[in-house]
Amino acid sequence: QEAARQRGASLDTEIAAAQQEQETIRAELAGLRRQEEELRQRLPELEASWQSRRDDLNRSASRLHSLKELEAQFAGYGQGVKNLMQANGLKASFSGLLADVIDTPPELEAAVEAALAERLQCVLCGDVTDAVAALEFLKSTNGGRAGLALPLAYEAPTASGVAGAVPLAGQVGVSGPHGGLIRRILADVLLVEALDEALRLAQQHPHLAFVTREGDMVALGGVLSGGSGDQVQAGIIGKKREIKELAARVATLEQEVATLGAERDEVRRMSLAVAEGVKQAGSRQHQAELRLAGLAKDRQQVADEVGRIDERLGLHALEQGTLVEEQEALDAELKLSQAQLDETASASQELEQEVGRLKADLDSRREHLARAREQATAIRVQAATLREQHEGHLRALVDLERQERELAERMTTGRDELEQGDAERARLQGTLGTGTGRLEELMAGQAAAEGRLTEVRTGYEAAGGVLAAAEGRAKQLREESDAVRQSQADLNLRFSTMSMQAEHLERGLQEKSRITMADALERLGQTEFDEAAGQGRRVELQRLLDEMGEVNLMAIEECAGMEERFTFLSSQKDDLEESLRGLQQAIQRINRTTRQRFLETYNLVNAKFQEVFPRLFCGGQAELRLTNEEDLLETGIDIIVQPPGKKLQNVTLLSGGEKALTAVALIFSIFLIKPTPFCLLDEVDAPLDDANIGRFNDMVREMSAISQFIIITHNKATMQVADTLYGITMEEPGASKVVSVRLH
């Protein structure tokens, strides 16, 4: 008991500690959930900011990339400038274009574009030698025309001497050795505010040129140039300024995107960490609750165990007292019995044999009596109730106690028992006969009870059928009653609804028309009403209400959101249209360049093909023809050949060997125009005869001086002209082996 009480005290301490731990975990979990909610609210804002900056970065980077590609391809520049800037041997001697060294304010870009015009494309040369070499290159390659700019030391005057005009050279920043040349070009160009003022001043000073901020220019006293400002904004200076601005904006946006991305990732990491902490805290709280519940259960078990120990101690004390009393009584009886035994010791010796015989007879009769009682008990168990069984057992217990008392009396009074033995035997025989009769009566009663049970079961089944029918009728009546009750409830509900509608209608009439229901009914009775027209009007009004839909309480917020989205999409649409216009212009320039390069390449290949074909065929002629000369981008090419001794025809009408040799001639023609370090030919000599193979090998040998040829062939003649042979052999089935032979 003391150990149980100590265990209970220990469990109380653990329960208090567990409760304190649970409160701590709850506070920690509440803090983590608040932090998680703050991070969850902050993450969409960071995500939106990061997405917005990234979209701006993508748009700016895409625009910058497009402009840089166009600038790298010298889109919009003259053909001569493009050829010079792309020439491998000359571009190292150039320091860029004239537009690269001009720093113009955005508001004066149109004026500078108009003043310099085509001179913005002038190539910056270091000295006269480079400039002359560039001109010679353009002349020798028929590469077009270009302007070349040389360094010049020149200082522009500080004042114009013309009222209302300022020198444009003083408004433009220049750098490098070509700054003097730019100042000299702009020395005679003055900046004015309006076109009419430029016209007036040009007539007074015909040796000067006057330009407005919009790009309208008057020169030589009466030569006007100008027009739309879009073309000026898309000029060289504007594009270079836009490239610089976009580069700076892209760098800034990249930094902002990186910062926002890192912050977003950090918030996500913190959110995941907090979520994990919430999960762990929840798990710890659950474990603490389980532990607290387990401790409470253990505490209850200890308390129950203490109670049971107390009860057992009480019972033990009572039992100990009872045992002490019984021991005292037994001691007294033992003393009495010892005295009686001393008195009857002599008599008991004489009666021992008779007692043994009587005991054997008594045991035999007890066995018969036990079997009879067992049979009677079994019959009573089958026929009687539990109460009767209990009473039977009680009666049997009373008989046994009585018999025990009788035997004790007979043992103490052995002589009296021996004298009454015969009488007892007779009595027992009578009792046995009585028990046998009683048994027969019980069996007859059981049979009668079974018959009555059958009759009762039959009546019960009949009554059950009647009861089922009655229940069916009762169920039907209940369903009818429920239907009537439901109908009554529907009518009551309809009555209540109609009453509420009438009250609502009466209040509406009072509020809107200031009349009562009686007045309205009186006026309605005096008014002629067309039910069909009214029904049609009601349907029309209902349709209008359905089309209007429910009242949207969030319409203002949704309208603001849609306006913001419309503004955003409109700006994107404008950007896309601007990009589309730029792409269309680029496509036009690409198509123009492609047509020119295709036509040049076609003419070169056609001329070379006309030279190579007679060499491979030992005569004849061949040419390439365009299928659609009007559209060089969609045209096809026909190969028209005339081998020696045959008429002029299309290549599709030739034999296999002639087709192969014609294809080889075309390939070699293209290869001779623009050779490559390697040329791989796979079984091209298979359809050729020995004579054609010889000419083919001669051509390959001649061209091997500028390129390395790798030929896959099975022809011995072709193998003989090779420098190195690589053969594939299979000495063992399934195992290939490479064999190389170098021929010198």
Side-chain angles (χ1 to χ4, degrees):
Q1 185 181 17
E2 184 62 26
R5 294 185 185 277
Q6 292 178 358
R7 175 61 176 165
S10 176
L11 287 174
D12 290 338
T13 304
E14 292 182 4
I15 289 173
Q19 290 177 347
Q20 182 65 29
E21 182 182 1
Q22 188 178 18
E23 291 298 328
T24 304
I25 293 174
R26 285 178 180 173
E28 181 182 355
L29 183 60
L32 288 174
R33 284 177 175 168
R34 287 194 300 270
Q35 187 178 2
E36 183 181 19
E37 184 64 25
E38 293 175 357
L39 291 174
R40 187 181 293 111
Q41 293 177 359
R42 184 183 176 190
L43 185 58
E45 298 176 358
L46 287 175
E47 187 72 28
S49 300
W50 178 80
Q51 186 66 36
S52 175
R53 293 293 189 280
R54 193 180 69 169
D55 293 340
D56 292 343
L57 175 61
N58 291 336
R59 288 194 295 269
S60 300
S62 177
R63 176 66 176 169
L64 178 61
H65 181 68
S66 300
L67 291 176
K68 284 186 175 180
E69 283 190 348
L70 294 176
E71 189 69 17
Q73 297 173 2
F74 296 95
Y77 291 91
Q79 186 64 37
V81 175
K82 188 183 302 182
N83 290 334
L84 286 177
M85 298 303 293
Q86 292 179 348
N88 294 329
L90 295 176
K91 62 182 181 180
S93 59
F94 303 139
S95 57
L97 302 178
L98 193 66
D100 296 331
V101 297
I102 296 177
D103 186 11
T104 306
E107 65 273 9
L108 296 180
E109 288 180 356
V112 175
E113 285 274 356
L116 295 177
E118 296 296 331
R119 286 179 243 185
L120 289 170
Q121 300 185 21
C122 289
V123 180
L124 302 180
C125 298
D127 50 26
V128 178
T129 304
D130 295 337
V132 173
L135 292 178
E136 292 296 334
F137 173 77
L138 293 177
K139 292 178 181 179
S140 62
T141 59
N142 194 19
R145 301 181 66 82
L148 303 172
L150 297 174
L152 178 65
Y154 178 80
E155 292 295 334
T158 57
S160 63
V162 179
V166 295
L168 184 59
Q171 307 296 321
V172 177
V174 294
S175 60
H178 297 80
L181 177 63
I182 298 173
R183 288 190 291 271
R184 180 63 189 90
I185 296 174
L186 298 177
D188 296 333
V189 181
L190 303 179
L191 179 66
V192 296
E193 297 297 331
L195 179 60
D196 53 353
E197 187 176 0
L199 291 170
R200 181 180 59 82
L201 293 176
Q203 292 177 356
Q204 297 176 2
H205 307 279
H207 62 284
L208 299 177
F210 298 90
V211 63
T212 65
R213 296 179 182 270
E214 290 78 14
D216 298 329
M217 183 174 176
V218 182
L220 302 178
V223 179
L224 277 72
S225 62
S228 174
D230 294 339
Q231 187 67 27
V232 176
Q233 293 178 0
I236 297 175
I237 296 179
K239 285 195 297 184
K240 291 185 178 296
R241 176 185 56 80
E242 185 177 2
I243 289 174
K244 295 178 181 178
E245 294 176 353
L246 286 175
R249 178 170 176 77
V250 165
T252 304
L253 289 174
E254 286 178 349
Q255 183 65 28
E256 292 180 359
V257 167
T259 303
L260 290 174
E263 187 175 359
R264 181 197 62 177
D265 295 338
E266 179 66 18
V267 170
R268 284 182 176 175
R269 186 190 61 75
M270 293 175 60
S271 178
L272 291 176
V274 170
E276 184 65 24
V278 170
K279 183 178 179 182
Q280 293 178 359
S283 177
R284 289 167 52 199
Q285 184 182 16
H286 180 65
Q287 294 295 331
E289 292 176 352
L290 292 178
R291 181 185 176 191
L292 185 60
L295 291 174
K297 183 178 179 182
D298 294 341
R299 183 66 182 86
Q300 184 63 35
Q301 290 178 354
V302 170
D304 295 341
E305 185 178 356
V306 170
R308 287 194 298 270
I309 291 174
D310 292 338
E311 292 178 359
R312 285 200 300 271
L313 288 174
L315 291 175
H316 181 69
L318 293 175
E319 289 177 356
Q320 188 174 7
T322 304
L323 289 174
V324 170
E325 293 176 356
E326 290 180 354
Q327 186 176 6
E328 293 176 353
L330 288 174
D331 291 340
E333 290 180 359
L334 182 61
K335 293 178 180 179
L336 180 61
S337 299
Q338 187 67 33
Q340 292 177 355
L341 285 174
D342 293 339
E343 293 176 357
T344 59
S346 59
S348 63
Q349 292 178 356
E350 298 176 355
L351 296 176
E352 283 180 357
Q353 296 179 353
E354 185 67 20
V355 170
R357 186 181 60 82
L358 289 176
K359 283 184 178 180
D361 190 9
L362 181 61
D363 292 337
S364 177
R365 293 188 180 217
R366 281 179 179 176
E367 291 179 358
H368 290 292
L369 181 60
R371 286 195 296 270
R373 285 177 179 173
E374 288 177 358
Q375 293 177 359
T377 302
I379 294 171
R380 282 196 299 272
V381 169
Q382 294 177 0
T385 61
L386 293 174
R387 186 176 181 83
E388 291 174 348
Q389 290 178 358
H390 182 64
E391 292 175 357
H393 286 299
L394 290 177
R395 286 193 299 272
L397 183 60
V398 171
D399 291 339
L400 290 173
E401 291 176 353
R402 180 176 55 78
Q403 291 176 9
E404 185 178 2
R405 287 194 300 272
E406 289 176 355
L407 289 173
E409 291 175 358
R410 284 198 299 273
M411 289 178 65
T412 56
T413 58
R415 188 178 296 277
D416 293 339
E417 274 190 1
L418 291 175
E419 292 176 355
Q420 295 176 0
D422 294 337
E424 181 67 20
R425 186 186 302 112
R427 189 181 64 79
L428 289 175
Q429 289 178 354
T431 302
L432 181 60
T434 303
T436 304
R438 179 62 178 167
L439 178 60
E440 293 176 354
E441 290 177 1
L442 289 174
M443 293 179 65
Q446 181 183 5
E450 289 180 353
R452 288 194 303 275
L453 179 61
T454 303
E455 293 176 358
V456 170
R457 185 180 290 110
T458 304
Y460 174 75
E461 292 177 354
V466 175
L467 180 61
E471 288 180 351
R473 291 194 300 274
K475 182 179 180 181
Q476 183 177 2
L477 291 175
R478 282 196 300 272
E479 291 177 353
E480 293 177 355
S481 176
D482 293 339
V484 172
R485 190 178 295 107
Q486 183 65 31
S487 177
Q488 183 180 3
D490 294 340
L491 291 175
N492 290 335
L493 180 61
R494 184 177 179 187
F495 176 74
S496 300
T497 304
M498 297 297 291
S499 300
M500 293 175 64
Q501 290 179 353
E503 293 176 1
H504 179 70
L505 181 60
E506 187 171 1
R507 286 197 301 270
L509 287 173
Q510 185 66 31
E511 292 175 357
K512 295 180 180 180
S513 303
R514 304 298 181 185
I515 60 175
T516 62
M517 181 64 74
D519 296 338
L521 292 174
E522 182 179 357
R523 294 182 183 180
L524 183 63
Q526 297 175 0
T527 304
E528 295 182 358
F529 180 70
D530 188 355
E531 185 175 357
Q535 184 68 19
R537 179 60 176 166
R538 187 183 70 81
V539 172
E540 179 65 20
L541 292 175
Q542 185 65 37
R543 183 184 64 80
L544 292 176
L545 287 175
D546 294 339
E547 290 179 354
M548 290 174 63
E550 298 180 357
V551 177
N552 186 5
L553 301 178
M554 302 296 293
I556 298 177
E557 290 79 0
E558 291 180 359
C559 180
M562 295 300 291
E563 287 180 352
E564 183 179 356
R565 179 170 175 78
F566 175 76
T567 303
F568 174 69
L569 293 177
S570 298
S571 62
Q572 285 195 336
K573 175 176 175 292
D574 295 338
D575 292 340
L576 290 175
E577 289 178 350
E578 179 65 24
S579 300
L580 181 60
R581 286 193 293 270
L583 286 175
Q584 289 176 349
Q585 294 176 1
I587 290 172
Q588 292 176 0
R589 290 191 295 271
I590 291 171
N591 290 340
R592 183 168 58 253
T593 304
T594 303
R595 291 189 188 96
Q596 179 181 356
R597 292 187 177 180
F598 173 77
L599 185 59
E600 294 174 355
T601 305
Y602 167 75
N603 293 330
L604 294 174
V605 172
N606 192 14
K608 187 63 67 174
F609 180 60
Q610 293 176 5
E611 296 176 3
V612 174
F613 182 84
R615 291 185 58 186
L616 292 176
F617 278 84
C618 290
Q621 59 181 354
E623 64 175 340
L624 303 177
R625 292 182 183 177
L626 299 177
T627 59
N628 185 5
E629 297 182 359
E630 301 297 329
D631 189 358
L632 296 180
L633 297 178
E634 300 293 336
T635 184
I637 297 177
D638 283 338
I639 302 176
I640 306 300
V641 298
Q642 185 180 8
K646 294 185 178 181
K647 63 180 181 179
L648 192 67
Q649 55 188 341
N650 194 286
V651 72
T652 57
L653 303 177
L654 300 178
S655 63
E658 291 173 339
K659 289 180 181 178
L661 199 59
T662 303
V664 170
L666 181 58
I667 292 173
F668 285 172
S669 301
I670 299 174
F671 194 80
L672 289 171
I673 294 175
K674 190 174 183 180
T676 59
F678 293 94
C679 180
L680 177 63
L681 302 176
D682 186 5
E683 298 287 356
V684 297
D685 57 350
L688 305 180
D689 55 15
D690 294 339
N692 292 330
I693 287 176
R695 292 190 293 272
F696 167 75
N697 291 333
D698 293 339
M699 193 76 179
V700 170
R701 173 61 69 180
E702 178 182 345
M703 295 175 61
S704 62
I706 57 175
S707 296
Q708 183 176 359
F709 282 82
I710 302 172
I711 303 176
I712 301 174
T713 182
H714 289 85
N715 193 282
K716 296 180 180 179
T718 305
M719 296 180 190
Q720 292 175 358
V721 300
D723 295 331
T724 303
L725 291 178
Y726 292 92
I728 306 298
T729 182
M730 188 180 293
E731 297 179 354
E732 298 179 1
S736 298
K737 181 179 179 182
V738 179
V739 178
S740 63
V741 179
R742 185 178 301 276
L743 305 178
H744 295 285

